Amino acid sequence: MSVRSKIKSNAKKAVSQNFVKTLTVTIILFCIVLLYIVLVMMANTVIELLSSTLALPGILRGWGYVSSPAVVGASLLLQLILFSPLMVGAARWFYRLMGQEGSDVFDLFEFFSSFRQYFGSFWLELNLTLRSFLYTFLFTLVPVVIVGLGSFLVTGEFGEAMGGPAATLVGSMLLIAGVVLLIVSAIFSWIFLKRYFLARYLYSGGECTARQAIKQSVYFMRGRKTELFFFDLTFLGWFLACVLIVPFFYVAPYYMSSCALYARYLIEYGHRYQQTAPQPQPTKEFDCAPDEAAGDPEEPQSGEAQPQ
């Protein structure tokens, strides 16, 4: 049985043994996200009403929520302010569950308990968001330009000046090539961003700063990003089932538990590799790694709910 299969099997077992707790945490997260969506929709409605009756600044007037720079920016900032401690808290909660460490449902809000924890989680999520945006932009820039140029040739005035049929043919070919490249680059971007998969788990342990957690995640995920991408693909059927809503309340804790258990496996493997590797550590950022006895890195020890 492969490592992925063992992780999913043990995660499923852990969820079934703690179903009430995992379901409660999932419902809490779902309700918070739903409340946020409702508030955003209400704010959008208010802006639309005001824009039709009052002289609003140009950055708001005539824009819907989806495209207004001011509203989109405020929405993203609100997401970071509200969800940063929750995302880190949820990562910690499931990570501790997979290690059979006692954890109360309300530990989900642990990173709201002090300014230091709150600001640390916010800073971590801000860094991850900006890095993800930057790398996604770089990966998809060329395909987006090609798609835009193809659309311009097919529908723009420049295409008509070149001659309708020729411009349409060239534009259509560019559109097809651009879409294919966009899909491929999106997949490569998804794989590349897996380098940050462990950051929340490492930071939530309290032994790393946000910067250290990101750097150590990148180091631990060397050569592991593609296997984690295929790990996500094994949940594709489960994700599609969530369209029916009800399966979501099983799929969400199952997936988050599997990710947490995979993170335990990779982190323990990484720590043991650091101790046995002959070369010196690449940077001083890895001083946050806890001391552990060196052993076989293929068999991480973190409780019953893990690969065996």
Side-chain angles (χ1 to χ4, degrees), residues 93-155:
W93 194 90
F94 281 97
Y95 190 82
R96 296 180 66 181
L97 178 70
M98 293 300 101
Q100 296 189 331
E101 304 170 31
S103 184
D104 188 79
V105 170
F106 292 102
D107 289 344
L108 181 67
F109 302 99
E110 183 175 352
F111 286 85
F112 285 98
S113 61
S114 69
F115 175 79
R116 179 178 175 275
Q117 288 182 304
Y118 178 88
F119 181 77
S121 62
F122 174 81
W123 185 246
L124 174 68
E125 292 300 324
L126 179 62
N127 272 273
L128 293 177
T129 299
L130 292 177
R131 290 166 185 258
S132 299
F133 174 80
L134 174 62
Y135 284 119
T136 301
F137 174 78
L138 293 176
F139 271 102
T140 58
L141 177 60
V142 172
V144 168
V145 170
I146 294 175
V147 170
L149 180 60
S151 301
F152 181 72
L153 286 175
V154 171
T155 62

Side-chain angles (χ1 to χ4, degrees), residues 52-68:
S52 61
T53 57
L54 301 176
L56 292 179
I59 197 170
L60 291 177
R61 193 187 312 114
W63 294 75
Y65 163 72
V66 175
S67 54
S68 167

Side-chain angles (χ1 to χ4, degrees), residues 257-275:
S257 297
S258 299
C259 287
L261 186 52
Y262 213 144
R264 273 192 172 272
Y265 169 75
L266 293 174
I267 289 172
E268 185 163 348
Y269 183 98
H271 286 324
R272 292 183 176 184
Y273 177 79
Q274 280 185 336
Q275 293 174 349

Side-chain angles (χ1 to χ4, degrees), residues 218-234:
V218 172
Y219 181 63
F220 283 176
M221 289 302 296
R222 288 179 178 176
R224 298 285 192 172
K225 296 184 285 293
T226 303
E227 72 178 60
L228 194 61
F229 167 75
F230 286 111
F231 175 75
D232 282 347
L233 289 184
T234 63

Side-chain angles (χ1 to χ4, degrees), residues 22-60:
T22 56
L23 179 62
T24 303
V25 168
T26 302
I27 291 174
I28 291 173
L29 293 173
F30 178 80
C31 290
I32 292 174
V33 172
L34 185 63
L35 177 61
Y36 169 79
I37 293 174
V38 171
L39 291 175
V40 168
M41 292 176 64
M42 291 174 61
N44 185 42
T45 302
V46 170
I47 290 174
E48 291 291 346
L49 290 175
L50 291 176
S51 65
S52 61
T53 57
L54 301 176
L56 292 179
I59 197 170
L60 291 177

Side-chain angles (χ1 to χ4, degrees), residues 182-203:
L182 186 61
I183 294 172
V184 173
S185 61
I187 293 174
F188 274 100
S189 175
W190 182 5
I191 295 173
F192 182 81
L193 292 177
K194 289 298 180 183
R195 71 206 308 246
Y196 304 124
F197 170 69
L198 299 176
R200 293 188 184 98
Y201 301 103
L202 289 164
Y203 177 77

